[in-house]
Amino acid sequence: MNGTTRKRIGVAGFGYIGRHLCDAILGNPDWGLDLAWVWNRDPARLASLPEAVRLIDLKQSATRGADLVVECAHPDVSAHHGAAFLAHADYLPLSVNALANPDIEARLVEAAARSGQRLLIPHGALIGLDNLVEMKTMWRSVSITFRKHPNNIDFADSCFDRASITTVTTLYDGPVRGIARLFPRNVNTMTTCALATTGLDHCRGILIADPSLDVAIAEVHAEGHDGSIHASRKVQPVVGVSGTEMLAAQIGSLQRAAGVTLPGVSFV
């Protein structure tokens, strides 16, 4: 990291992703990052961390002096604490689907504008985010399609019965704002795509359950008013509801959000 000032990171959530992020920060002092605090809904899970960084109450986070807060727990954290984080720190919510709620989105955008802090959107599994954002006002239509085995889809908030899906089944085809409510753990990248392009009410999200798959497939198709086309297709091994690249993508977002620069070749 350039300069001598180290960035202090607050981490909301110490599950699979949060633990990985904390281990990466603690294990790479050359990144120039330190843990300001770590919170988890069950404080007992923080026992492996130094006592000085454990935070019991998120309402006390402002007292710990974080420069960047990373949420990796649940969209409710953004709903209840996101604006407060933005009053004193940059905010990187990994549960991007929280922004599918227009009230939460407006509250966080307003808080960032008021404080001068940044609301940061992780790229997740989205290929070509830079190109999509650079041409944001040019896109006429955008669609993003996920294809997964039913066992790699979380149906908890939907009306579908996983056991009944024995053939290729389209679970959703419509505005991304709608699918974010039905499959919140599965489609954070769809929300990122919508925010980067035509918006949550105009970007089309399609989720297909395919029992023949042993990989996750993500496809983006965007058409511009000038005739330009952006098309990508990624096929990735999958663990749980996420592709195997997920942890590396989250680390990359953390590094960019915190301004980590390391010696060697950099891509800008």
Side-chain angles (χ1 to χ4, degrees):
M1 188 172 197
N2 289 337
T4 58
T5 303
R6 299 179 66 84
K7 287 279 186 77
R8 290 172 55 78
I9 312 300
V11 179
F14 197 62
Y16 178 61
I17 297 174
R19 186 181 297 273
H20 185 80
L21 292 180
C22 291
D23 286 346
I25 291 169
L26 293 171
N28 293 277
D30 56 320
W31 289 1
L33 307 180
D34 294 314
L35 287 175
W37 55 264
V38 183
W39 170 89
N40 193 68
R41 182 170 52 186
D42 178 6
R45 297 190 66 177
L46 303 176
S48 62
L49 291 171
E51 187 172 356
V53 304
R54 302 177 205 168
L55 181 69
I56 303 303
D57 186 350
L58 279 177
K59 293 179 181 179
Q60 301 300 316
S61 63
T63 66
R64 298 294 188 93
D67 300 296
L68 169 69
V69 174
V70 184
E71 174 276 317
C72 43
H74 192 276
D76 282 350
V77 173
S78 289
H80 299 301
H81 302 280
F85 294 153
L86 282 163
H88 60 85
D90 290 340
Y91 182 42
L92 175 65
L94 300 186
S95 302
V96 185
N97 283 326
L99 300 180
N101 181 314
D103 293 334
I104 296 174
E105 180 187 12
R107 191 157 65 245
L108 297 188
V109 169
E110 180 184 356
R114 185 168 57 248
S115 67
Q117 304 291 156
R118 299 179 299 164
L119 174 60
L120 301 155
I121 309 299
H123 68 82
L126 186 59
I127 293 177
L129 177 62
D130 287 350
N131 176 246
L132 292 170
V133 171
E134 288 163 357
M135 294 184 61
K136 181 178 175 69
T137 60
M138 296 287 291
W139 298 121
R140 177 174 58 84
S141 65
V142 179
S143 66
I144 177 168
T145 302
F146 284 178
R147 305 173 192 272
K148 293 182 176 182
H149 190 284
N151 289 342
N152 299 122
I153 298 173
D154 185 344
F155 291 88
D157 295 289
S158 75
C159 59
F160 290 93
D161 175 15
R162 178 187 286 109
S164 68
I165 300 175
T166 57
T167 60
V168 177
T169 303
T170 299
L171 303 176
Y172 183 90
D173 184 346
V176 168
R177 193 181 300 279
I179 195 172
R181 292 191 293 266
L182 294 172
F183 297 94
R185 290 193 62 219
N186 301 272
V187 297
N188 280 298
T189 299
M190 285 191 180
T191 299
T192 296
C193 182
L195 291 169
T197 58
T198 55
L200 289 152
D201 297 310
H202 299 284
C203 181
R204 178 184 177 193
I206 304 167
L207 179 61
I208 298 172
D210 184 345
S212 72
L213 291 178
D214 59 0
V215 294
I217 301 172
E219 300 165 312
V220 176
H221 185 86
E223 296 184 5
H225 293 287
D226 61 352
S228 60
I229 294 177
H230 170 109
S232 66
R233 184 175 192 265
K234 182 169 69 171
V235 180
Q236 193 81 24
V238 61
V239 177
V241 299
S242 302
T244 52
E245 88 289 7
M246 181 265 294
L247 289 176
Q250 307 294 26
I251 288 291
S253 290
L254 167 66
Q255 290 175 321
R256 285 185 291 276
V260 173
T261 56
L262 300 173
V265 177
S266 296
F267 296 89
V268 299

